[in-house]
Amino acid sequence: MTQTRPSQAAEKPTQPQTSAQPDQPRLTPKQRAAAKQRAAARQRVNANAQQANSGEAPAAPAQAATNPAADAAHSDNAKSQQPADEAKPAPQPKASSDRTIPQAVTAADVKPRHFGLLAAFLVIVVAPLMVAAYYLFVIAEDQYTSTVGFSVRSEELNSSLDLLSGLNSLSGTSSSDTDILYEFIQSQDLVKRLDERLDLRAIYSKPDFDPIFAYDEAGSIEDLVAYWRRMVRIFYDSGTGLIELRVHAFEPQDAQDIATEIFQESSAMINQLSAIARDDATGYAEEELVKAEERLKVARQALTRFRSETQIVDPSADIQGQMGLLNSLEAQLAEAIIEMNLLRETTRAADPRIEQSERRIAVIEQLIEKERTKFGVGTGNATGGQDYSTLVGEYERLVVDREFAEKAYVSALSAFDGAQAEARRQSRYLAAYTRPTLAESSGYPQRWLLTLLTGVFAFLTWAIVVLIYYSVRDRR
């Protein structure tokens, strides 16, 4: 009897306990606290799971032995089984197969790279933003703006002389003139002229300490031209041909003076372009007029030399006179012959009147022959050995040359007069629709806008650096 009971007591704990027995001993407070902690952890992991069991101990033996030796053995077995029971958690009911229990998310720890990113943000974003704001609001000088607007106008006028000389308008398109003027305002030539007249170096170096917006007076002309293009803003509308200038300076009067000088120089430039075009047209007309005058002079000199050599003012009139004289001699010859025939019929042959009549007829015939030779090959000094046909041909050639030279001269003179009239009329001029203004308040530099842009670009730079860092870090 005493040998079998301890073995039964030892076999009972190995059997699975399905339910707690009412006569089993309760857990210690320490065991109950551990069980509660495990249950709380399970509840945090899965809020939808069933409430965890409180972790009761396995059922104790049904009956305690009355034998002291058996009681001692039972007590030892119970003590040896308590640590094993505490190590094994109580069986939990299985959750449904279609539900996944999420893992617990632990809080992120602050690592050294986070401090590096913060330091980079301070260096790349905050520090430049503070420096820019301090410079713009404390150091940078106020700038005043003078605005001037103008346009190149081109007149297309036709005079009555244009109909005679066939001259067209001398002015070109205003758009091309505006393009030339746009480049002229930014040219080194204009900057040099205004610097000699207004001392731009002194005007733009007035701030005592402004390393960004002020000009270094010791700079070269190239530096001054680059600074000029920063301080003089040009707005050009190619569709309408309007040009607007915004001239910046550190004093309102300086800005207005510079704008006024730019307008005057631009007007002079446009007038110079018109003068060049007019000089080209006038020079051509004047050259043609000089040629026509020379041609007319030569023609007149040739005609005068012909008259001096032939002693004939007009061969046509001279021929008419010669023909009249010849006709008169022929009439006298006919009368003398008639008279001689009458004398021969009425008088004797030795009559002296017949001899006189014969001599008279011979003289008349000689005169007629002499006059006729003038229409053929003559030998007289008056004609210089030339017949009338040659003289008339030469005379007519000279007259035609003179008439052509006179007409060419009249045409050239008309063209020259038209060019002169066009030169006196200004075909291009600069029309100002906005006179140079005098500013009362400063509008530049745009401090808030520049500060905002500085912050945006600095933040974008920092964000790019961070992205590059994490991209390289993930590839390792």
Side-chain angles (χ1 to χ4, degrees):
M1 296 296 291
T2 59
Q3 298 294 330
T4 59
R5 295 181 67 179
S7 62
Q8 294 175 358
E11 293 174 355
K12 290 181 179 180
T14 60
Q15 299 176 358
Q17 301 294 331
T18 58
S19 62
Q21 299 295 332
D23 55 350
Q24 287 180 346
R26 296 182 178 275
L27 297 176
T28 62
K30 185 177 181 180
Q31 293 174 350
R32 287 196 298 270
K36 289 181 179 180
Q37 290 180 358
R38 289 193 296 272
R42 286 192 296 269
Q43 289 178 358
R44 285 195 301 270
V45 173
N46 189 5
N48 296 328
Q50 296 180 357
Q51 186 176 3
N53 197 349
S54 61
E56 295 180 354
Q63 289 294 337
T66 58
N67 193 345
D71 295 337
H74 178 70
S75 176
D76 294 337
N77 293 331
K79 290 181 180 180
S80 63
Q81 291 177 0
Q82 286 180 359
D85 296 335
E86 292 176 359
K88 293 182 179 180
Q92 299 294 332
K94 288 187 177 181
S96 60
S97 58
D98 57 349
R99 181 177 299 171
T100 303
I101 300 176
Q103 299 293 331
V105 179
T106 59
D109 297 333
V110 178
K111 297 183 179 181
R113 66 172 179 272
H114 298 156
F115 292 102
L117 296 177
L118 180 60
F121 182 80
L122 295 176
V123 173
I124 299 176
V125 179
V126 178
L129 185 60
M130 294 180 64
V131 171
Y134 177 77
Y135 173 79
L136 291 172
F137 288 94
V138 178
I139 299 177
E141 294 287 340
D142 292 337
Q143 297 179 15
Y144 299 88
T145 305
S146 178
T147 303
V148 57
F150 48 81
S151 175
V152 179
R153 304 291 296 174
S154 177
E155 294 293 341
E156 299 291 341
L157 300 177
N158 294 323
S159 62
S160 58
L161 294 176
D162 295 338
L163 301 177
L164 298 176
S165 60
L167 291 179
N168 295 325
S169 178
L170 299 178
S171 61
T173 58
S174 59
S175 60
S176 61
D177 297 335
T178 308
D179 295 337
I180 296 174
L181 187 60
Y182 177 84
E183 297 297 333
F184 172 72
I185 295 174
Q186 303 180 80
S187 65
Q188 180 177 338
D189 185 22
L190 178 62
V191 176
K192 187 176 181 180
R193 293 181 189 177
L194 296 186
D195 185 30
E196 295 174 354
R197 192 175 304 172
L198 299 177
D199 195 2
L200 295 178
R201 300 173 187 268
I203 290 176
Y204 287 127
S205 60
K206 286 185 177 181
D208 296 333
F209 179 73
D210 193 348
I212 296 180
F213 294 110
Y215 173 72
D216 185 7
E217 195 170 0
S220 62
I221 185 63
E222 289 78 11
D223 298 333
L224 183 59
V225 172
Y227 185 82
W228 169 269
R229 294 176 180 177
R230 288 173 47 194
M231 301 300 288
V232 178
R233 305 293 179 85
I234 306 176
F235 301 91
Y236 171 44
D237 187 357
S238 59
T240 59
L242 300 179
I243 294 180
E244 180 178 342
L245 298 181
R246 296 178 185 176
V247 182
H248 304 288
F250 298 103
E251 292 184 3
Q253 189 61 45
D254 291 339
Q256 188 183 34
D257 293 342
I258 294 174
T260 302
E261 291 296 331
I262 292 176
F263 178 76
Q264 292 178 357
E265 289 293 334
S266 300
S267 180
M269 179 65 182
I270 295 301
N271 293 335
Q272 183 179 1
L273 293 176
S274 298
I276 292 174
R278 290 194 301 268
D279 290 342
D280 291 341
T282 305
Y284 176 77
E286 186 177 3
E287 183 180 356
E288 292 296 323
L289 179 61
V290 171
K291 291 180 179 180
E293 288 178 352
E294 186 66 22
R295 182 181 298 174
L296 180 60
K297 184 185 296 184
V298 171
R300 288 179 175 178
Q301 290 176 355
L303 185 60
T304 302
R305 185 168 55 252
F306 171 81
R307 289 172 176 174
S308 299
E309 292 176 353
T310 60
Q311 297 181 356
I312 297 176
V313 177
D314 188 356
S316 300
D318 189 71
I319 289 175
Q320 292 178 0
Q322 293 294 332
M323 291 298 295
L325 178 60
L326 182 61
N327 292 332
S328 176
L329 291 175
E330 288 179 349
Q332 292 179 8
L333 178 61
E335 291 178 358
I337 292 173
I338 293 171
E339 183 179 356
M340 187 186 64
N341 291 331
L342 290 174
L343 288 175
R344 284 179 178 178
E345 291 177 357
T346 58
T347 61
R348 63 181 181 274
D351 192 343
R353 291 182 296 180
I354 296 175
E355 183 179 359
Q356 183 179 3
S357 178
E358 291 179 350
R359 290 198 299 268
R360 182 170 180 267
I361 292 173
V363 170
I364 293 174
E365 288 179 350
Q366 291 178 358
L367 290 176
I368 291 173
E369 183 67 20
K370 185 178 180 179
E371 292 297 329
R372 286 181 177 177
T373 57
K374 294 181 180 179
F375 297 96
V377 180
T379 58
N381 295 329
T383 61
Q386 295 181 356
D387 56 7
Y388 269 98
S389 61
T390 304
L391 293 176
V392 171
E394 182 68 16
Y395 179 77
E396 289 179 352
R397 183 183 65 81
L398 294 177
V399 169
V400 170
D401 291 343
R402 185 192 64 179
E403 291 178 354
F404 180 79
E406 288 176 351
K407 292 180 180 180
Y409 176 76
V410 171
S411 178
L413 182 61
S414 177
F416 180 74
D417 291 339
Q420 289 288 342
E422 190 70 20
R424 289 190 296 268
R425 183 177 59 210
Q426 187 179 12
S427 58
R428 293 188 186 97
Y429 62 93
L430 202 64
Y433 63 88
T434 301
R435 291 289 178 179
T437 59
L438 181 63
E440 296 182 356
S441 61
S442 63
Y444 295 87
Q446 297 175 333
R447 293 179 171 86
W448 290 106
L449 178 60
L450 294 177
T451 303
L452 177 61
L453 292 177
T454 302
V456 170
F457 282 109
F459 179 79
L460 291 176
T461 303
W462 175 80
I464 293 173
V465 171
V466 171
L467 291 176
I468 294 175
Y469 167 74
Y470 275 102
S471 176
V472 174
R473 179 175 175 272
D474 292 340
R475 290 180 177 271
R476 291 180 180 178

